[in-house]
Amino acid sequence: MSSISNIIFYIFIFSTVYAQVFLLVTFLENRKKIVIRKGSVKLSSYPAVTIVVPCWNEETTVEKTVDSLLALNYPKDKLKIFLIDDGSTDSTWGIISKFENYPNIKTFRKENGGKFTALNLGLENLKTDFFGGLDADSFADSESLVRIMSYFEKDPSVMAVAPSLIVHNSKTLIQSVQKIEYLMAVYFKKMLGLLGAIHVTPGPLTVFRKRVFDDLGPYRHAHSTEDMEIAYRMQKNNYKIEHCNDAYVYTSIPGTVRKLFRQRLRWIYGFINNTIDYRNVLFRKKYGDFSFFTLPAGIVSIFAVSFLLGRIFYNLGNFLYSKVVQYQTVGIHFTASLNNFDLFFISTKSFIFLEILIFSLVFLSMILGKQMVEGKWRPSWNMLYFLLIFSVIAPFWLLKAIYNTIISEKPAWR
Amino acid sequence: MIDWKKYLIVFLITATLFLSASYLSNYFGGKKIGELQLIQDKIAIDILSSETQYALLSDLSCRNVSGTLLSGELAELGKKLEWGEENLGDSEEVRNLKRYYSLLEIKDYLLAKKISERCRVKSAFILYFYTTLEKCKECEREGLVLTALRDKYPELRVYSFDYSTDLSAVQSMLNIFKIEDTKLPALVIEDEVLTGFHSLEELETRVQESFKLQETKPEETQKK
């Protein structure tokens, strides 16, 4: 039994190292292409863009979100803003109504139907060739849109461009470590973008060509992860998604473990169920690296983390059991070996070296992410805290998402 | 569209990293085995030296002999070997080391016996037989008891023998004391065989009565 467990264990370690090396090789191949532009970018023409802000009980942040859109470095007559109140029960509608008089802002109020219905209302009223969303808890950097639009100008085959998400609020420890995670995600996202294998076009300011929705249809509920499903649908139809690493959008993140748990549960549940819905995309040559790398890596990571958690609990159980037996047999007893520590007793099994390798690769991803966003790569203690905290709590939302999928219980938005 | 060459190259890099990890593991495992061999050689020399000393000067005063007698490193070696068995894998090298260790234990035991007869001092030792072939929970618990006992009474020597050790000398020991594999763990204290589990309290009373040992307080152990 333990030898089968060992084989599975090493297969998972191999896959994890493989995925990390794959991204690293992609980085080395493309490192010259990854630039951070300073100052404002000039476009030869400025196509009209509509940004939709779906709101549901966002009274604390929505005003700042709209302000950030109004401050965008983009011609005012080319930027339309739709503020859509999706049946808020707080003062959101009152706040967005104040913007009604702006010539380029349009407000809508509808019954609550979920975020995808608010986005679809925006799509129905869309008159421009480009469409973007901006979650009402996120704030766009003034240069973000123009930098995103430069990708469309450079390559007419690009169908959507996702920005880099930066953490807006990092007061608590759980937020500080998420900030690191988001930096690392920029690196992953950029690499997937270079591979043409992005699997999520996030709510905060991903911009699409209108054609995407004309051809493929509007947003779907998609297990409360409509921003993931549309990316899957685009990949299935070979529509190119890019990532613009120097377009920054500041987003609010959960401040407590409980809220973080709920958010991640929704994301992972969405990943599992969208992948199940799009299972016929897996391992098909015509869908490229999305089908051979992104999806398999995601699936393996979910299984690997669950398996490792099981293994850790099993080992912990064994350890505790042996301590209980020791206590029952000889009472509380400390052997002399604790006093004179000997290097001999440090394990040198090969998985120890592989685990060190994996942690180093993850650490390198954080550094590269930081470099891609901030232009500097100084390591910080939060990187270590991230590894410690996430490796303890992440398995729980993964397992809960698997559990929910099995008993088909849909997680709530908040 | 898919760069298969890249998938292959990444596979080769990953495989190389895996091989390197296993190379490192073997390298350090080998170092550990080397360390064990060094300790064993030292013990072997110590024992041989004591034996020679004993044979050379038959009229040597008993105090001199007992002072130089018996390598104190046997217990440390025992601990390291046990750890090695669990962590370095079931290799021929580890098995050989274990055989050699059993042999050293027997030699040490015989020498101690000889000296105690000649000098009329009671050497405090326990022979302990266990098995690793099958899951023996009682053996594990007895092992814990003996470790605790040895920490309490540093003068006490515990010679432990794996029933399944493939070594004729160990088999002879089993025959002498009529140890059966169905009755493990087994202890020999003052030529009396005790089978099954015996608690710390029980053995402590036995040891105190037989050998008149004094318990060492933890502070004193640390000072030593």
Side-chain angles (χ1 to χ4, degrees):
Chain A
M1 188 57 206
S2 81
S3 68
I4 298 175
S5 158
N6 272 341
I7 292 170
I8 299 174
F9 178 63
Y10 278 101
I11 290 176
F12 281 139
I13 289 194
F14 191 91
S15 323
T16 310
V17 175
Y18 187 95
Q20 292 285 347
V21 172
F22 194 91
L23 292 173
L24 195 59
V25 169
T26 309
F27 171 76
L28 293 173
E29 278 175 340
N30 296 284
R31 63 188 187 283
K32 295 241 162 61
K33 286 189 210 162
I34 304 160
V35 287
I36 300 178
R37 290 165 285 189
K38 299 267 178 270
S40 48
V41 174
K42 293 264 177 296
L43 301 180
S44 56
S45 73
Y46 290 82
V49 185
T50 301
I51 306 288
V52 172
V53 183
C55 318
W56 183 68
N57 292 351
E58 309 277 7
E59 60 183 7
T60 52
T61 50
V62 65
E63 189 165 357
K64 215 177 143 194
T65 303
V66 182
D67 286 341
S68 80
L69 287 175
L70 291 170
L72 279 175
N73 172 26
Y74 207 78
K76 294 284 166 284
D77 57 323
K78 300 288 185 190
L79 179 67
K80 305 265 176 284
I81 300 168
F82 290 176
L83 306 178
I84 302 180
D85 180 4
D86 184 28
S88 294
T89 51
D90 65 358
S91 62
T92 301
W93 175 246
I95 294 166
I96 60 178
S97 305
K98 285 194 290 188
F99 292 100
E100 267 170 354
N101 299 331
Y102 285 76
N104 60 341
I105 294 184
K106 230 174 158 177
T107 57
F108 300 83
R109 194 177 193 184
K110 66 184 270 299
E111 258 180 44
N112 183 258
K115 189 176 153 193
F116 78 105
T117 59
L119 289 167
N120 284 341
L121 181 64
L123 283 173
E124 284 163 24
N125 291 280
L126 185 65
K127 303 247 159 41
T128 57
D129 283 342
F130 289 89
F131 169 90
L134 181 63
D135 291 347
D137 60 353
S138 304
F139 320 104
D141 181 85
S142 58
E143 297 301 321
S144 55
L145 184 60
V146 69
R147 289 182 180 176
I148 287 173
M149 295 311 289
S150 73
Y151 276 62
F152 289 107
E153 187 178 80
K154 203 168 62 191
D155 182 354
S157 72
V158 169
M159 285 294 155
V161 178
S164 287
L165 298 186
I166 312 288
V167 168
H168 162 67
N169 51 334
S170 59
K171 289 194 190 98
T172 64
L173 177 66
I174 200 75
Q175 287 172 330
S176 304
V177 295
Q178 284 178 77
K179 190 173 178 173
I180 297 296
E181 186 205 9
Y182 275 67
L183 290 177
M184 187 168 71
V186 168
Y187 163 71
F188 289 149
K189 202 57 167 295
K190 184 75 197 172
M191 294 312 112
L192 291 180
L194 290 164
L195 291 165
I198 288 180
H199 73 297
V200 53
T201 42
L205 210 64
T206 300
V207 178
F208 301 84
R209 282 188 202 273
K210 180 170 177 287
R211 225 191 87 194
V212 173
F213 301 98
D214 291 343
D215 296 355
L216 307 179
Y219 280 106
R220 294 174 191 163
H221 177 267
H223 318 283
S224 299
T225 42
E226 73 298 317
D227 53 356
M228 194 180 279
E229 192 275 338
I230 189 70
Y232 275 60
R233 217 185 316 163
M234 288 177 71
Q235 291 291 359
K236 197 180 175 184
N237 290 279
N238 287 318
Y239 282 25
K240 196 168 174 181
I241 308 171
E242 278 272 14
H243 175 249
C244 175
N245 59 294
D246 60 353
Y248 310 124
V249 176
Y250 305 94
T251 188
S252 307
I253 54 165
T256 62
V257 174
R258 181 185 283 270
K259 285 182 187 161
L260 177 68
F261 180 87
R262 249 180 271 166
Q263 181 198 46
R264 297 312 164 100
L265 178 60
R266 183 168 62 80
W267 288 3
I268 304 294
Y269 181 86
F271 173 77
I272 296 174
N273 286 279
N274 282 313
T275 306
I276 292 172
D277 293 347
Y278 282 83
R279 57 191 175 276
N280 51 359
V281 168
L282 264 171
F283 299 117
R284 296 286 169 84
K285 229 163 84 183
K286 60 179 167 179
Y287 304 125
D289 291 318
F290 175 73
S291 121
F292 276 88
F293 180 74
T294 311
L295 293 186
I299 294 167
V300 167
S301 70
I302 285 174
F303 281 112
V305 171
S306 318
F307 174 81
L308 288 180
L309 187 74
R311 199 177 149 104
I312 286 167
F313 275 125
Y314 178 77
N315 289 340
L316 194 69
N318 265 351
F319 175 76
L320 290 178
Y321 177 73
S322 77
K323 285 289 153 199
V324 167
V325 169
Q326 185 177 4
Y327 179 74
Q328 283 174 343
T329 318
V330 292
I332 295 170
H333 173 77
F334 298 101
T335 53
S337 66
L338 278 174
N339 299 327
N340 36 22
F341 177 72
D342 191 331
L343 277 178
F344 181 89
F345 294 108
I346 291 179
S347 176
T348 52
K349 285 186 182 174
S350 55
F351 79 85
I352 300 282
F353 297 104
L354 291 168
E355 274 171 7
I356 294 172
L357 175 72
I358 291 176
F359 278 113
S360 312
L361 287 168
V362 171
F363 199 71
L364 184 63
S365 313
M366 297 181 205
I367 301 262
L368 290 172
K370 193 166 177 169
Q371 169 77 27
M372 256 166 233
V373 174
E374 297 174 2
K376 45 188 181 195
W377 54 271
R378 247 172 55 126
S380 72
W381 285 108
N382 284 335
M383 295 184 174
L384 192 65
Y385 300 150
F386 163 75
L387 286 175
L388 291 174
I389 292 174
F390 265 64
S391 48
V392 173
I393 59 178
F396 291 97
W397 56 66
L398 281 166
L399 288 184
K400 180 82 167 102
I402 296 174
Y403 175 75
N404 282 3
T405 305
I406 294 168
I407 65 161
S408 21
E409 182 186 311
K410 293 171 180 63
W413 255 91
R414 294 181 195 174
Chain B
M1 203 157 119
I2 293 181
D3 184 359
W4 293 115
K5 211 170 111 192
K6 182 168 158 185
Y7 279 81
L8 182 68
I9 289 171
V10 172
F11 182 86
L12 292 177
I13 295 174
T14 311
T16 312
L17 289 170
F18 254 66
L19 290 178
S20 312
S22 121
Y23 172 79
L24 277 177
S25 174
N26 282 338
Y27 174 77
F28 285 108
K31 282 225 149 186
K32 283 184 201 289
I33 286 177
E35 192 183 322
L36 290 179
Q37 271 160 348
L38 268 180
I39 302 173
Q40 279 190 339
D41 290 348
K42 186 167 178 303
I43 295 170
I45 291 173
D46 283 358
I47 291 178
L48 195 62
S49 155
S50 298
E51 278 175 341
T52 317
Q53 215 178 0
Y54 184 81
L56 258 180
L57 313 157
S58 50
D59 55 354
L60 186 74
S61 87
C62 281
R63 195 190 292 168
N64 282 349
V65 172
S66 3
T68 55
L69 169 75
L70 307 176
S71 176
E73 284 166 73
L74 255 184
E76 184 201 347
L77 179 65
K79 259 186 215 165
K80 289 188 171 174
L81 253 181
E82 194 190 332
W83 186 90
E85 262 189 299
E86 280 171 25
N87 292 280
L88 299 176
D90 185 25
S91 70
E92 190 57 36
E93 276 162 314
V94 174
R95 255 172 291 165
N96 269 337
L97 284 175
K98 205 174 158 186
R99 281 189 210 122
Y100 193 37
Y101 170 69
S102 305
L103 211 53
L104 288 178
E105 279 190 312
I106 297 173
K107 285 187 94 170
D108 196 281
Y109 158 72
L110 289 175
L111 192 59
K113 236 179 117 175
K114 248 198 249 173
I115 287 167
S116 78
E117 272 163 18
R118 204 178 82 91
C119 301
R120 300 187 198 294
V121 285
K122 260 190 175 175
S123 258
F125 51 77
I126 296 179
L127 302 180
Y128 166 51
F129 298 92
Y130 64 97
T131 180
T132 50
L133 263 193
E134 53 209 282
K135 190 101 182 132
C136 171
K137 280 197 175 151
E138 301 284 84
C139 301
E140 281 168 24
R141 290 177 62 209
E142 198 62 73
L144 290 170
V145 167
L146 289 171
T147 310
L149 202 61
R150 195 160 44 188
D151 285 345
K152 252 182 162 174
Y153 304 97
E155 290 164 65
L156 179 72
R157 305 181 71 80
V158 177
Y159 301 106
S160 51
F161 299 97
D162 187 343
Y163 187 90
S164 49
T165 307
D166 177 21
L167 192 72
S168 51
V170 172
Q171 296 305 320
S172 306
M173 291 283 280
L174 292 170
N175 290 336
I176 291 168
F177 295 105
K178 300 191 173 53
I179 308 288
E180 295 166 39
D181 62 346
T182 47
K183 288 179 184 161
L184 294 173
L187 296 164
V188 178
I189 302 177
E190 282 198 302
D191 292 333
E192 192 193 331
V193 179
L194 311 171
T195 53
F197 177 75
H198 292 271
S199 72
L200 183 61
E201 292 75 27
E202 214 178 309
L203 289 184
E204 211 171 342
T205 331
R206 260 321 283 242
V207 164
Q208 276 170 346
E209 277 171 14
S210 306
F211 309 120
K212 312 273 178 286
L213 289 180
Q214 292 297 311
E215 182 179 339
T216 316
K217 296 272 166 357
E219 303 89 70
E220 292 172 35
T221 326
Q222 277 178 1
K223 272 180 206 159
K224 281 186 181 177

